[in-house]
């Protein structure tokens, strides 16, 4: 379900994301945000009118450059050169063998000795006898002839791998260079490509296409010893049979500049892992988490009857937040103090966000860049990013599929 009541913060971030993204179009940004193209255009034009700015020239999409893998085998070349040096001191009858080895040396830079030797024999079979070539290069002639017979099939496989690599690279680039082989495979299958995950992994290794790998994050939650007791209604079960029943939330820090921080509070639906509410601020006061759950209520229309699970941070245990949950009809749930596993799904979500947006960096450049980058990732996460818990579907697509199934079952009944 799309947002019907967009907050001023959401609109401002959407406009800022469009204006700051090179090569962006209304269609591409609107698809990431899950909003209508005309709605985004209206927000941008209103903002420009407010600032007195004219229309910007049309943008040209930026194409990512392909990178070709380069292998190296200097050690093998040095070994061959040493062998050639030894042969040069041998008798005159070895002159032909020395010539063969000199010509062969350049074939051993690709890393696969056997294939390169076969290729050398094939390229020089009109200059030297195949028997002598095979003897000097320590090859079995029958193996060479078998390899030569399979040349058309190998060429076909190489062409197929190159074509697949282009598809993989496009999906990888579209994911901001974050997807590994499981999600790339799911993306290709979603587009109608019948492909094996092992083959995708092999081609990604061959063409040096690498996804982002997550590392463990540092726990920063500080519990308030004065909090009233709130039961753990989740018991580490972060699943739900349908949307709108169980939500979970957490706060994470977003480092930028020279030791400064923004803070992000999120609300996730346990059914689809959709981020239904979030807030970014330069403080960790209760209003940070209050704004996030208010956005969730606006997204869903109502949170009445739902359970909201969090850690024992002081913000979630405050009287102000408890009163807000009571007003929204939300039942609170909290895990054990100091146990990250009791809120593991949110911990994992925030780790993914920072790993995929920072991509190896320790911090964002500045506060503006931090906010826009995180905002863009959150919206694309909902509308585009494939999630393993959803059968490699995006959260929005997973909820839509559930709604279609429920409608079909209702009609059948």
């Amino acid at each position: 379900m799309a947002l019907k009541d967009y907050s001023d913060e959401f609109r401002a971030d959407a406009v800022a994301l469009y204006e700051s993204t090179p090569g962006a179009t209304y269609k591409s940004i609107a698809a990431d945000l899950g909003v209508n193209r005309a709605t985004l255009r209206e927000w941008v034009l209103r903002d420009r009118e407010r600032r007195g700015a004219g229309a910007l020239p049309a943008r040209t999409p930026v194409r990512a450059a392909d990178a070709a893998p380069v292998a190296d085998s200097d050690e093998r070349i040095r070994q061959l050169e040493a062998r050639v040096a030894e042969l040069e001191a041998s008798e005159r009858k070895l002159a032909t063998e020395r010539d063969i080895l000199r010509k062969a040396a350049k074939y051993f830079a690709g890393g696969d000795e056997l294939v390169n030797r076969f290729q050398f024999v094939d390229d020089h079979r009109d200059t030297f006898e195949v028997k002598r070539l095979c003897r000097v290069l320590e090859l079995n002639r029958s193996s060479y002839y078998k390899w030569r017979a399979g040349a058309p099939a190998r060429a076909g496989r190489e062409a197929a791998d190159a074509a697949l690599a282009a598809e993989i690279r496009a999906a990888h680039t579209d994911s901001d260079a974050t997807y590994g082989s499981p999600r790339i495979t799911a993306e290709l299958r979603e587009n109608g490509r019948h492909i094996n995950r092992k083959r995708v992994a092999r081609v990604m290794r061959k063409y040096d296409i690498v996804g982002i790998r997550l590392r463990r994050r540092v726990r920063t939650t500080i519990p308030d010893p004065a909090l009233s007791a709130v039961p753990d209604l989740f018991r580490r079960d972060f699943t739900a049979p349908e949307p709108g029943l169980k939500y979970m939330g957490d706060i994470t820090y977003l480092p930028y500049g020279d030791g400064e921080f923004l803070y992000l509070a999120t609300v996730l639906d346990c059914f689809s892992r959709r981020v239904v509410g979030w807030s970014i601020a330069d403080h960790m006061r209760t209003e940070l988490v209050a704004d996030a759950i208010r956005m969730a209520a606006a997204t869903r229309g109502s949170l009445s009857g739902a359970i909201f699970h969090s850690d024992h941070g002081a913000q979630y245990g405050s009287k102000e937040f408890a009163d807000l949950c009571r007003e929204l009809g939300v039942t609170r749930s909290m895990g054990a103090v100091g146990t990250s596993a009791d809120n593991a799904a949110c911990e994992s979500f925030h780790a993914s966000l920072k790993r995929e947006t920072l991509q190896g960096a320790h911090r964002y450049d500045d506060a503006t860049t931090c906010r826009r980058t995180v905002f863009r990732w959150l919206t694309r996460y909902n509308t585009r990013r494939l999630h393993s818990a959803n059968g490699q579907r995006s959260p929005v697509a997973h909820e839509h599929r559930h709604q279609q199934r429920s409608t079909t079952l209702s009609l059948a009944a």
Side-chain angles (χ1 to χ4, degrees):
M1 184 187 296
L3 281 169
K4 296 182 179 179
D5 185 14
Y6 300 96
S7 66
D8 292 339
E9 179 183 358
F10 184 96
R11 296 184 186 190
D13 285 337
V15 171
L17 175 62
Y18 173 82
E19 297 285 18
S20 64
T21 304
T25 62
Y26 289 120
K27 181 177 180 181
S28 65
I29 296 298
D32 288 345
L33 302 180
V35 302
N36 186 274
R37 174 186 175 278
T39 300
L40 176 61
R41 182 175 182 274
E42 181 182 358
W43 293 347
V44 173
L45 293 179
R46 284 183 180 178
D47 182 76
R48 291 178 183 171
E49 182 178 356
R50 178 181 60 79
R51 294 185 286 107
L56 296 178
R59 307 181 180 204
T60 303
V62 178
R63 299 182 61 186
D66 292 343
V70 179
D72 190 12
S73 185
D74 292 335
E75 180 62 28
R76 183 55 187 166
I77 293 178
R78 286 194 292 270
Q79 293 176 3
L80 290 174
E81 289 175 342
R83 185 175 179 183
V84 169
E86 293 176 3
L87 291 175
E88 287 177 340
S90 300
E91 300 177 5
R92 294 181 62 87
K93 66 178 182 180
L94 298 179
T96 302
E97 281 98 351
R98 290 201 304 269
D99 189 29
I100 291 174
L101 288 173
R102 289 193 187 98
K103 292 180 181 294
K106 64 181 180 180
Y107 280 78
F108 293 91
D112 189 341
E113 276 188 39
L114 187 58
V115 170
N116 288 333
R117 291 185 182 192
F118 285 150
Q119 188 64 57
F120 178 83
V121 173
D122 201 57
D123 288 348
H124 295 81
R125 61 195 308 269
D126 294 332
T127 304
F128 306 101
E129 294 180 350
V130 171
K131 180 178 180 180
R132 175 165 291 184
L133 287 166
C134 290
R135 181 170 62 81
V136 172
L137 297 179
E138 300 178 353
L139 294 175
N140 187 296
R141 273 187 293 166
S142 62
S143 298
Y144 159 71
Y145 285 120
K146 183 178 180 180
W147 173 87
R148 191 166 186 268
R154 284 195 304 280
R157 287 194 296 271
E158 285 295 323
D161 280 355
L164 177 58
E167 295 181 53
I168 291 173
R169 190 171 284 108
H172 188 254
T173 300
D174 192 52
S175 73
D176 291 336
T178 60
Y179 281 5
S181 59
R183 287 194 174 95
I184 291 290
T185 304
E187 182 84 16
L188 295 178
R189 289 174 178 171
E190 184 70 20
N191 294 333
R193 190 80 145 81
H194 298 287
I195 194 71
N196 183 281
R197 175 182 165 183
K198 290 183 178 179
R199 185 185 175 200
V200 172
R202 176 181 61 79
V203 172
M204 289 182 71
R205 285 194 301 271
K206 179 178 178 180
Y207 287 85
D208 197 26
I209 304 173
V210 183
I212 296 295
R213 297 180 180 179
L214 302 182
R215 298 190 185 97
R216 210 165 187 154
R217 69 179 290 271
V218 178
R219 178 177 171 81
T220 58
T221 300
I222 302 175
D224 186 345
L227 295 181
S228 57
V230 176
D232 182 356
L233 303 179
F234 270 35
R235 300 293 179 183
R236 302 186 182 180
D237 178 9
F238 304 107
T239 62
E242 60 182 74
L245 298 181
K246 295 167 64 178
Y247 297 94
M248 51 190 170
D250 198 5
I251 300 174
T252 191
Y253 65 92
L254 304 171
Y256 73 89
D258 187 17
E260 299 179 273
F261 297 92
L262 290 179
Y263 300 94
L264 168 70
T266 53
V267 179
L268 279 69
D269 191 303
C270 291
F271 172 76
S272 62
R273 298 297 197 273
R274 180 179 178 180
V275 191
V276 294
W278 71 81
S279 181
I280 303 174
D282 59 358
H283 61 79
M284 291 182 66
R285 296 190 293 272
T286 301
E287 61 189 86
L288 176 69
V289 297
D291 287 344
I293 202 167
R294 285 194 185 99
M295 179 181 176
T299 301
R300 291 306 196 193
S302 173
L303 298 181
S304 181
I307 299 174
F308 176 76
H309 184 80
S310 69
D311 58 24
H312 275 265
Q315 301 85 354
Y316 293 112
S318 66
K319 182 179 183 301
E320 179 185 346
F321 187 74
D323 291 343
L324 177 59
C325 287
R326 191 177 302 110
E327 177 186 331
L328 296 175
V330 174
T331 301
R332 290 188 300 156
S333 169
M334 286 187 177
V337 177
T339 305
S340 61
D342 287 349
N343 205 22
C346 275
E347 299 270 347
S348 176
F349 169 79
H350 286 154
S352 297
L353 182 154
K354 286 193 279 191
R355 185 56 52 192
E356 294 185 10
T357 54
L358 287 171
Q359 298 198 5
H362 294 293
R363 57 189 67 253
Y364 306 93
D365 292 339
D366 51 58
T368 301
T369 300
C370 174
R371 173 181 283 274
R372 290 177 182 173
T373 301
V374 172
F375 175 77
R376 178 176 182 269
W377 189 91
L378 289 171
T379 52
R380 283 176 62 90
Y381 171 90
N382 279 340
T383 60
R384 296 228 183 151
R385 188 180 183 276
L386 307 184
H387 202 299
S388 57
N390 298 337
Q392 298 297 7
R393 288 181 290 272
S394 72
V396 169
H398 190 57
E399 290 188 0
H400 182 64
R401 184 170 181 264
H402 173 79
Q403 184 179 14
Q404 286 182 323
R405 284 186 171 182
S406 299
T407 303
T408 301
L409 291 175
S410 299
L411 294 175

